[in-house]
Amino acid sequence: MRSFVARVAGVLLIVLAVVGRRIAVASAPGMAQSAGDYSQYHSPEYRHDEFDSKPRAPTASKPMPRFSWDTVPAFFHSSYTGSLTFPESAMKIIAKFPIVTIEKWQGCHSADYTFEDDAMLAAAKQIKSVDPSINVNVWFDSFRIYSNNTLNPSAISRADQFCISSRHSDFLESHKDYLLLNSSGQLAIESYCHYHVYDYVKTYVQQYWTDMCLNMTKSGWVDGCGCDGSQSRAASNGSVQVPHIDADYALKWNTAKINMMNTTRLALNGGLLLGKEVFELGTYVDAILHEGCSASNTTIVMLQYIDGHSKSLGIPLLMECHFAHVAENEVAAFLIGAGQYHYFGAGNWVSHTPDFSSHWDDKLLGSKLGSPIAAGVYDAESQTWNRKFASGTHVMFNAKKKKGTITWGTM
């Protein structure tokens, strides 16, 4: 495998060649990164040069999700708590997207609810019945085990998580040998919700998570799995992240978790294993759902980095870029930086009502776009990005003001 340094150098050469001399340091107040600075995406803490990751197999049985520049490429990520399946009004919106991820809360307030696994499968079947070409993924957690107070008396509910019940939480909470212990021999708890944690140092626990995902894809309705918390480590930056865990064991846990994710990715044979952060792409995941996208220079630079990294590795890297809103500033920033297999998304993770209108806008996501003529170009003097598309659409984004404009073409 090529060294990490060589890969990063290749990425920088590609991106700098495309964007050219007009990429320069942006002087907007408080802007930490230059318009072409990619250093934040390969922190030494997360260098996995020693990890024998393998690229997506060219003969993978599952194709990549549909991707087109005809309109703004977009994805859907959410759940509906009121029933096992989505309301008919929501399906009219969901059917517009080529790729969907179903969150953990699906159906959890329904009278018919038993386990999240069943609700996810019911929703996935519903989506595939409308359009079999939609790529459907279920969103599992790879770090914390979502449990209620009955299964885990220490647990704290911060976002209605106690409505979530799953077969794997029932199994794991009754098989304590699958759970991480602290240095006192007690069950370890993570700091946010006081949930228990998988003990990936044990190989059978790694296999359990992989099987948990594969059991969903065997249904024929699910194409891949989200790996929420993929970036979470038991030890990081020289400190232990899970309270009271032995430091040496925490480092072993980190390596074991990465091995689990890579094993799952390869076992999916072309299906997606979606991580969370950019540094993971091209190692143990080939796709991410990034929650923190915004109308900013940072998001533009991040998208350009991923596009260059994909070209350098010679493999597709899928990016679901989630924004707070479907609005012109956000869509403009996305379009300036987006490359192939990059998707725009917005809207809540979970809805208690049938209203999913926050995920879609006919004008911004449904207008004709066309392939980009070239990469986004940054002008240092005006601190403005520009990019044009085949339809005649012209996108501008001011990095200082964080304002974008889209002039839609007529071709």
Side-chain angles (χ1 to χ4, degrees), residues 22 377-386 396-399:
R22 293 179 69 184
V377 175
Y378 181 74
D379 181 73
E381 184 175 352
S382 65
Q383 298 182 30
T384 300
W385 291 89
N386 283 270
M396 298 178 64
F397 186 84
N398 185 282

Side-chain angles (χ1 to χ4, degrees), residues 24-35 296-298 301 378 383 385 397-402:
V25 174
S27 57
M31 190 171 294
Q33 301 294 325
S34 76
S296 66
N297 193 67
T298 298
V301 172
Y378 181 74
Q383 298 182 30
W385 291 89
F397 186 84
N398 185 282
K400 180 177 182 180
K401 298 178 180 179
K402 298 184 178 180

Side-chain angles (χ1 to χ4, degrees), residues 40-41 75 77 139 228 231 275-278 288-303 306 319-325 330 333-334 343-347 349 402:
Q40 61 181 314
Y41 303 120
F75 77 98
H77 176 86
W139 195 246
D228 201 3
Q231 82 286 7
K276 292 290 292 292
E277 299 296 341
V278 177
I288 61 170
L289 193 169
H290 185 73
E291 297 179 9
C293 291
S294 62
S296 66
N297 193 67
T298 298
T299 291
I300 294 170
V301 172
M302 175 177 64
L303 291 168
I306 295 171
M319 166 62 154
E320 294 184 344
C321 199
H322 193 275
F323 293 77
H325 311 285
E330 283 74 10
F334 173 79
Y343 300 84
F344 176 96
W349 283 171
K402 298 184 178 180

Side-chain angles (χ1 to χ4, degrees), residues 75-351:
F75 77 98
F76 176 90
H77 176 86
S78 194
S79 57
Y80 176 59
T81 62
S83 61
L84 301 187
T85 56
F86 287 98
E88 184 178 347
S89 59
M91 283 304 304
K92 292 178 180 178
I93 294 175
I94 294 171
K96 299 176 185 290
F97 296 91
I99 180 170
V100 168
T101 43
I102 303 171
E103 256 287 10
K104 309 172 192 71
W105 286 263
Q106 183 66 27
C108 72
H109 287 311
S110 167
D112 299 323
Y113 183 81
T114 52
F115 295 112
E116 71 170 14
D117 325 51
D118 297 336
M120 287 174 163
L121 285 175
K125 180 178 180 180
Q126 176 192 29
I127 294 167
K128 288 286 192 179
S129 297
V130 171
D131 185 349
S133 72
I134 296 176
N135 186 281
V136 179
N137 303 274
V138 293
W139 195 246
F140 287 147
D141 201 288
S142 65
F143 183 60
R144 54 186 61 87
I145 299 165
Y146 280 72
S147 302
N148 55 38
N149 277 131
T150 301
L151 294 174
N152 175 7
S154 301
I156 300 172
S157 180
R158 296 186 182 274
D160 196 29
Q161 293 106 313
F162 283 178
C163 83
I164 300 172
S165 178
S166 66
R167 285 188 173 83
H168 51 271
S169 63
D170 274 14
F171 175 84
L172 292 165
E173 295 291 356
S174 62
H175 292 74
K176 304 301 185 185
D177 56 309
Y178 283 70
L179 306 180
L180 183 64
L181 301 180
N182 61 28
S183 54
S184 299
Q186 303 299 311
L187 291 176
I189 57 172
E190 52 81 35
S191 57
Y192 181 63
C193 291
H194 293 186
Y195 286 149
H196 296 142
V197 178
Y198 295 90
D199 186 359
Y200 289 121
V201 175
K202 299 169 181 174
T203 55
Y204 59 86
V205 179
Q206 296 180 40
Q207 188 62 49
Y208 182 86
W209 201 98
T210 298
D211 289 342
M212 187 171 76
C213 171
L214 296 181
N215 286 339
M216 298 296 281
T217 62
K218 287 176 182 177
S219 68
W221 306 113
V222 174
D223 297 291
C225 299
C227 198
D228 201 3
S230 59
Q231 82 286 7
S232 298
R233 300 290 182 262
S236 178
N237 285 325
S239 63
V240 176
Q241 301 298 297
V242 180
H244 311 299
I245 298 300
D246 177 78
D248 290 338
Y249 200 83
L251 292 173
K252 293 178 182 178
W253 187 95
N254 288 353
T255 300
K257 182 185 179 185
I258 292 171
N259 185 69
M260 178 280 292
M261 290 186 286
N262 193 55
T263 298
T264 305
R265 177 178 66 93
L266 296 175
L268 284 166
N269 195 24
L272 298 180
L273 181 70
L274 291 117
K276 292 290 292 292
E277 299 296 341
V278 177
F279 70 81
E280 302 176 285
L281 281 169
T283 54
Y284 48 84
V285 298
D286 292 335
I288 61 170
L289 193 169
H290 185 73
E291 297 179 9
C293 291
S294 62
S296 66
N297 193 67
T298 298
T299 291
I300 294 170
V301 172
M302 175 177 64
L303 291 168
Q304 287 195 333
Y305 167 78
I306 295 171
D307 190 43
H309 192 37
S310 174
K311 292 172 182 175
S312 175
L313 294 177
I315 58 173
L317 297 177
L318 188 144
M319 166 62 154
E320 294 184 344
C321 199
H322 193 275
F323 293 77
H325 311 285
V326 185
E328 187 169 25
N329 293 334
E330 283 74 10
V331 176
F334 173 79
L335 287 176
I336 290 290
Q340 189 175 28
Y341 295 115
H342 295 181
Y343 300 84
F344 176 96
N348 293 332
W349 283 171
V350 55
S351 178

